[in-house]
Amino acid sequence: MEEEKLEIVGPLEEPLMGNIVPEEINGSDSLSSSDTDSEKPDSPVPINAPIYRMFGRERPIHMVLGGGKPADVILWRDKKVTLGLLSVVTVIWLLFGFCGCRLLTSICRGSILFLLLSFLWSNALNKSPENIMEIYIPEKPLLQAASAMTFELNCAFATLRSIALERDIKNFVMALIGLWLVSIIGNWFSFLSLLYICFVLIHTVPMLYERYEDEIDPIAEKAVIEMKKQYQVFEAKVLSKIPH
């Protein structure tokens, strides 16, 4: 009986030991892996600091301006066209702003000169009419400019109307101050000079900003922060005392 017990117990111990040993090994492996995991340093998480751009833009300045030919002209990508436009506008401003020329008089005198030259070219010199320069004003750009101007004027009138009907004294006072400042600037220049200054600024400021935006944006950020502080002071001392 003892031999039978030994024979029975003998083969049962082997599977028991076989079951125990892998668990211990797996336990030791898990402990070692946990130790190695704990010893691994945490990988640094990259932090992408947001870059401040003026007016909160996320696209390049060329795309903000609409892209295409107009943006190329404003950003001096097509220097010949930009220089030609600035030269023509400067000559017109000098003639009507400083020389005292009148628009109707200049148009009539230009038409007289063109009529005389065309008559002499076709009759006295016996040239064919095909060689005479033909002046043609394209319709599409004028319609686009008129549509854009009409849209901006309607937006301005709608803004003024909403400010007047909102019964918000703060916005009403700020609108009055803004219009008053614009009226003061209007007293310094004639309407033609003001248009010329705006035209020159449109064709120079975006180009300079695109070239030096990395230097301008930090300065603009500091200026915006300072303006917000000053506005908070102005709101606390003046606007907060205005009754609603």
Side-chain angles (χ1 to χ4, degrees), residues 87-217:
S87 301
V88 171
V89 172
T90 302
V91 170
I92 294 174
W93 176 63
L94 291 174
L95 288 175
F96 293 101
F98 287 93
C99 298
C101 296
R102 298 292 183 266
L103 180 61
L104 183 60
T105 304
S106 300
I107 292 175
C108 292
R109 289 177 180 177
S111 300
I112 291 171
L113 181 61
F114 176 75
L115 185 63
L116 288 174
L117 292 176
S118 300
F119 182 81
L120 292 175
W121 184 267
S122 60
N123 294 287
L125 300 177
N126 294 323
K127 298 293 182 178
S128 62
E130 297 178 355
N131 295 327
I132 299 176
M133 180 181 64
E134 182 180 0
I135 300 176
Y136 173 75
I137 299 176
E139 183 179 2
K140 187 176 180 180
L142 292 179
L143 292 177
Q144 290 177 347
S147 177
M149 187 177 298
T150 303
F151 177 77
E152 295 297 333
L153 287 175
N154 288 331
C155 288
F157 290 143
T159 302
L160 292 177
R161 182 177 181 275
S162 63
I163 291 174
L165 298 178
E166 277 180 356
R167 297 180 180 178
D168 191 344
I169 302 299
K170 292 182 180 180
N171 291 336
F172 181 73
V173 172
M174 294 299 295
L176 289 179
I177 294 174
L179 292 174
W180 179 65
L181 292 175
V182 172
S183 66
I184 292 176
I185 296 173
N187 284 329
W188 296 345
F189 309 99
S190 63
F191 183 70
L192 182 62
S193 298
L194 194 60
L195 288 179
Y196 176 72
I197 291 172
C198 292
F199 186 85
V200 173
L201 290 176
I202 289 172
H203 287 80
T204 53
V205 173
M207 180 267 296
L208 294 174
Y209 173 71
E210 185 186 36
R211 185 174 297 179
Y212 303 105
E213 62 178 343
D214 292 335
E215 291 81 8
I216 294 175
D217 284 338

Side-chain angles (χ1 to χ4, degrees), residues 28-87:
S28 62
D29 291 340
S30 61
L31 289 174
S32 61
S33 62
S34 62
D35 293 338
T36 54
D37 292 339
S38 61
E39 291 176 358
K40 289 181 181 179
D42 295 334
S43 58
V45 179
I47 299 174
N48 296 325
I51 300 174
Y52 177 83
R53 296 297 182 190
M54 289 184 65
F55 309 111
R57 65 179 181 87
E58 297 179 355
R59 298 181 298 169
I61 188 68
H62 187 269
M63 297 301 297
V64 173
L65 294 174
K69 190 69 174 179
D72 292 339
V73 173
I74 293 175
L75 296 175
W76 290 68
R77 305 280 176 87
D78 194 345
K79 294 183 179 180
K80 292 182 179 180
V81 176
T82 306
L83 286 174
L85 280 175
L86 287 175
S87 301

